[in-house]
């Protein structure tokens, strides 16, 4: 868009120069009409935008960017608080620690901390937040992101994705058959456990089957 405006300006300057040298009425009329047309086009062009903020930030970033995955969080009646540990962050200029909020998300950018940049993004927050009421605080070796709740209610987790994941996991155990629920729990423990845990589960399973065959346990596991 800026290029188009610049080209129109150059055309206008050339038409003005030609108009200065033109002597024949017909030629001057054509040039005047063209001049007015160009001036109108330039007037209707949107004003030049400042350099894109994201590009400006990108060009100013030094080193490489690290995605932050570790954090802690808690909540009060009015705020959800996210704690991010970063050694030496308090030594940075305040403008190097930026947080952008929307009603259901926020993203954190820490620029040039010990030669690295750090980012963290939370999309699909569990509930809406107040953009104006949210903020960030820089403490010793830590950033505190404070999301102002729009409604003073308890959050069970931070994002909608976490909620759906918990509901699916709960559904796997909530069965009408108690033995099926037990089997699901054992399968999860076996899949996530270490070698010792797997040996323990295997042993319990074998003993359970042996007792069942002997008639000690009248249930089908």
């Amino acid at each position: 868009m800026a290029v188009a405006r610049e080209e129109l300006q150059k055309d206008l300057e050339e038409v003005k120069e030609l108009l200065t040298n033109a002597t024949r009425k017909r030629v001057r009329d054509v040039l005047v009409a063209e001049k007015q047309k160009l001036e109108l086009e330039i007037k209707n062009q949107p004003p030049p935008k400042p350099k894109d903020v994201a590009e400006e930030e990108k060009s100013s970033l030094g080193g490489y960017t690290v995605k932050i995955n570790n954090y802690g969080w808690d909540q009060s009646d009015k705020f959800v608080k996210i704690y991010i540990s970063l050694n030496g962050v308090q030594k940075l200029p305040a403008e190097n620690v930026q947080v952008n909020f929307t009603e259901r998300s926020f993203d954190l950018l820490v620029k040039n901390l010990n030669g690295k940049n750090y980012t963290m993004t939370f999309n699909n927050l569990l509930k809406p937040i107040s953009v104006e009421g949210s903020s960030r605080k820089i403490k010793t070796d830590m950033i505190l992101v404070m999301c102002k709740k729009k409604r003073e209610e308890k959050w069970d987790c931070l994002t909608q994705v976490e909620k759906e994941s918990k509901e699916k996991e709960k559904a796997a155990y909530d069965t009408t058959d108690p033995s099926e629920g037990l089997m699901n729990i054992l399968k999860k423990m076996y899949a996530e456990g270490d070698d010792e845990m797997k040996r323990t589960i295997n042993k319990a399973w074998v003993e359970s089957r042996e007792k069942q065959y002997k008639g000690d346990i009248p249930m089908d596991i």
Side-chain angles (χ1 to χ4, degrees), residues 10-26:
K10 288 180 180 178
D11 290 345
L12 178 60
E13 294 302 322
E14 191 165 325
V15 167
K16 285 180 178 179
E17 188 174 342
L18 291 171
L19 190 57
T20 303
N21 298 324
T23 56
R24 297 180 63 84
K25 183 179 183 302
R26 186 174 177 182

Side-chain angles (χ1 to χ4, degrees), residues 187-203:
K187 285 177 183 176
K188 186 173 187 296
M189 290 172 64
Y190 188 88
E192 297 177 355
D194 55 17
D195 291 342
E196 184 64 31
M197 174 65 73
K198 289 177 180 178
R199 280 194 294 270
T200 302
I201 293 174
N202 280 332
K203 182 180 177 183

Side-chain angles (χ1 to χ4, degrees), residues 36-188:
Q36 292 173 344
K37 179 184 173 185
L38 287 168
E39 287 174 340
L40 184 60
E41 283 190 52
I42 292 172
K43 184 179 178 182
N44 291 334
Q45 287 279 312
K49 294 181 179 179
K51 188 176 180 182
D52 184 80
V53 174
E55 284 187 11
E56 198 169 271
E57 287 181 352
K58 189 175 179 181
S59 65
S60 67
L61 295 179
Y64 60 94
T65 300
V66 179
K67 186 176 179 181
I68 301 170
N69 294 312
N70 297 323
Y71 62 91
W73 76 283
D74 65 11
Q75 61 185 306
S76 62
D77 291 339
K78 295 183 178 181
F79 288 92
V80 171
K81 306 170 187 178
I82 297 93
Y83 302 87
I84 301 107
S85 295
L86 283 175
N87 288 334
V89 69
Q90 73 278 4
K91 299 175 184 177
L92 288 176
E95 60 269 20
N96 280 31
V97 181
Q98 302 170 359
V99 184
N100 295 314
F101 296 95
T102 72
E103 191 175 71
R104 294 297 287 266
S105 71
F106 74 83
D107 62 86
L108 166 70
L109 172 63
V110 180
K111 296 192 290 185
N112 198 23
L113 175 60
N114 300 322
K116 299 176 187 177
N117 309 299
Y118 295 84
T119 63
M120 168 181 271
T121 300
F122 272 94
N123 293 315
N124 299 315
L125 290 172
L126 185 64
K127 300 177 187 294
I129 62 173
S130 165
V131 175
E132 297 78 14
S134 298
S135 62
R136 63 101 176 97
K137 293 182 179 180
I138 302 172
K139 299 179 176 291
T140 302
D141 298 332
M142 186 180 70
I143 300 169
L144 171 60
V145 178
M146 301 184 67
C147 298
K148 175 74 180 295
K149 297 177 180 178
K150 275 205 165 181
R151 296 177 60 184
E152 294 184 12
E153 53 188 347
K154 184 180 178 182
W155 290 29
D156 296 324
C157 49
L158 276 178
T159 66
Q160 194 67 33
V161 173
E162 287 180 58
K163 180 185 177 185
E164 291 171 1
S165 177
K166 285 183 178 181
E167 287 175 348
K168 286 179 182 177
E169 189 172 316
K170 185 173 182 292
Y173 303 139
D174 289 349
T175 62
T176 53
D177 185 350
S179 63
E180 185 180 344
L182 176 61
M183 283 302 300
N184 286 333
I185 293 172
L186 288 174
K187 285 177 183 176
K188 186 173 187 296

